[in-house]
Amino acid sequence: RLVSKDGRCNIEFGNVEQSRFVFLVDIWTTILDLRWRYKMTIFISAFLGSWFLFGLLWYVVAYVHKDLPEFSPSINHTPCVENINGLTSAFLFSLETQVTIGYGFRCVTEQCATAIFLLIFQSILGVIINSFMCGAIMAKISRSKNRAKTITFSKNAVISKRGGKLCLLIRVANLRKSLLIGSHIYGKLLKTTITPEGETIILDQVNIEFIVDAGNENLFFISPLTIYHIIDKNSPFFHMAAETILQQDFELVVFLDGTVEATSATCQVRTSYIPEEVLWGYRFAPIVSKTKEGKYRVDFQNFSK
């Protein structure tokens, strides 16, 4: 398969000549595409690295100003930062400054302009790191592909008559009560073709038009829908038959695009069907019924039957 049943693409890139630097240029998308374990590793490393780096700088400030105990400062000596006695206390002060904990035991004095500048710079950099990390986590959690997991397609596609015409039918359902706004369904038939010039094209794409009784634009996607493709002379399925369809080599990829009602973010759901998953001469079992209380009930036990 090029596309798995849950929509993941089975493809890899080899011998890419472009440098990996191009991925760092678009660092936001790169961070969002990372898996959670790599993302959290980067986040923790960014915080610990910045704390330790500024801890070293605070230690250098105290060392240059001779605030450390090994210099035996006089009683009247005013340090740049109160109560920095070594590298560990400098690291703790760096942490307190960047995360604005401020226990009050260590603080900057007005003695050193360098210390004041370093305090301002670390505070600004800390806000930038926090904003970037929080934004990346929120964007990762709210990505619309998570909404796509609550859209499901039937396990099989079927070919049977509908309205007196031979059609390929697929069932799709929204598992949430919130709607997808402006939904649009379409398909691509992937197969290997040979051109008149003798060129072999792998994964040649042919458009497949799907229809819903209410129209394939702006679907009222509150209950499961059965989408269908009319097999006429213009259809790539026209020359197939029940006896020969298993001998064909194709992959039907079905797409559903829509806008999430809650977040206004666009999302795409996709799945695929190979010849073994296309059943000729079958119909889908009914799943929508009306209860005695007047409610409409969807029985998902029969969704793929």
Side-chain angles (χ1 to χ4, degrees):
R1 293 178 185 274
L2 174 66
V3 179
S4 63
K5 297 296 286 186
D6 59 358
R8 291 177 294 179
C9 295
N10 179 29
I11 192 170
E12 64 178 24
F13 300 114
N15 301 322
V16 179
E17 296 181 357
Q18 283 187 318
S19 171
R20 293 185 179 272
F21 178 75
V22 297
F23 296 99
L24 296 179
V25 173
D26 187 14
I27 186 64
W28 179 253
T29 305
T30 301
I31 291 294
L32 292 184
D33 288 340
L34 288 176
R35 295 186 177 183
W36 276 108
R37 55 179 176 268
Y38 301 124
K39 186 189 297 291
M40 297 310 299
T41 300
I42 292 176
F43 288 178
I44 294 173
S45 300
F47 282 116
L48 291 178
S50 61
W51 296 340
F52 184 73
L53 174 62
F54 280 98
L56 289 176
L57 294 178
W58 287 115
Y59 179 79
V60 170
V61 169
Y63 184 87
V64 172
H65 198 252
K66 298 182 178 181
D67 298 334
L68 301 177
E70 54 261 33
F71 293 105
S72 301
S74 62
I75 299 176
N76 296 327
H77 177 78
T78 303
C80 292
V81 181
E82 296 281 358
N83 299 308
I84 285 188
N85 303 315
L87 187 58
T88 303
S89 57
F91 174 79
L92 291 175
F93 178 72
S94 173
L95 190 153
E96 294 172 20
T97 300
Q98 190 162 326
V99 300
T100 64
I101 294 177
Y103 291 116
F105 182 68
R106 301 179 182 88
C107 61
V108 176
T109 65
E110 58 185 16
Q111 185 69 23
C112 300
T114 304
I116 297 174
F117 173 79
L118 187 60
L119 177 69
I120 295 173
F121 183 72
Q122 185 177 6
S123 299
I124 294 175
L125 184 63
V127 171
I128 294 175
I129 294 176
N130 287 334
S131 301
F132 185 87
M133 299 307 180
C134 292
I137 291 178
M138 288 300 300
K140 180 77 170 180
I141 294 175
S142 60
R143 292 187 79 176
S144 56
K145 74 175 186 178
N146 296 325
R147 175 65 174 91
K149 294 180 180 179
T150 55
I151 306 295
T152 181
F153 289 88
S154 57
K155 182 179 179 181
N156 297 97
V158 300
I159 294 179
S160 61
K161 281 195 172 184
R162 185 184 182 93
K165 299 178 181 179
L166 191 64
C167 300
L168 182 142
L169 300 97
I170 296 172
R171 181 172 274 172
V172 58
N174 179 13
L175 301 181
R176 288 186 180 272
K177 291 186 177 180
S178 59
L179 301 179
L180 283 181
I181 303 173
S183 299
H184 174 58
I185 297 177
Y186 57 97
K188 300 286 185 180
L189 188 71
L190 309 178
K191 60 180 181 178
T192 302
T193 60
I194 300 177
T195 64
E197 295 77 19
E199 179 185 1
T200 300
I201 302 178
I202 300 177
L203 299 179
D204 187 24
Q205 301 184 18
V206 179
N207 289 327
I208 301 294
E209 294 185 0
F210 282 98
I211 303 173
V212 183
D213 290 333
N216 60 347
E217 298 283 352
N218 300 324
L219 305 178
F220 185 46
F221 201 10
I222 193 64
S223 64
L225 298 174
T226 300
I227 62 175
Y228 59 94
H229 163 71
I230 299 176
I231 302 178
D232 53 16
K233 293 182 179 180
N234 298 322
S235 171
F237 294 96
F238 184 72
H239 299 288
M240 300 182 190
E243 298 80 10
T244 62
I245 190 170
L246 294 179
Q247 303 171 6
Q248 303 293 325
D249 181 18
F250 67 84
E251 180 178 352
L252 174 62
V253 184
V254 183
F255 303 86
L256 188 149
D257 298 339
T259 304
V260 181
E261 185 179 31
T263 62
S264 298
T266 58
C267 72
Q268 182 182 88
V269 195
R270 51 187 176 265
T271 190
S272 71
Y273 299 91
I274 56 178
E276 290 78 8
E277 295 169 341
V278 180
L279 306 179
W280 200 294
Y282 287 78
R283 296 181 182 275
F284 285 115
I287 59 174
V288 179
S289 60
K290 197 171 184 180
T291 64
K292 295 181 179 179
E293 294 79 13
K295 293 184 177 181
Y296 292 94
R297 183 176 185 272
V298 179
D299 185 7
F300 280 97
Q301 185 176 0
N302 295 331
F303 178 73
S304 290
K305 288 186 179 181

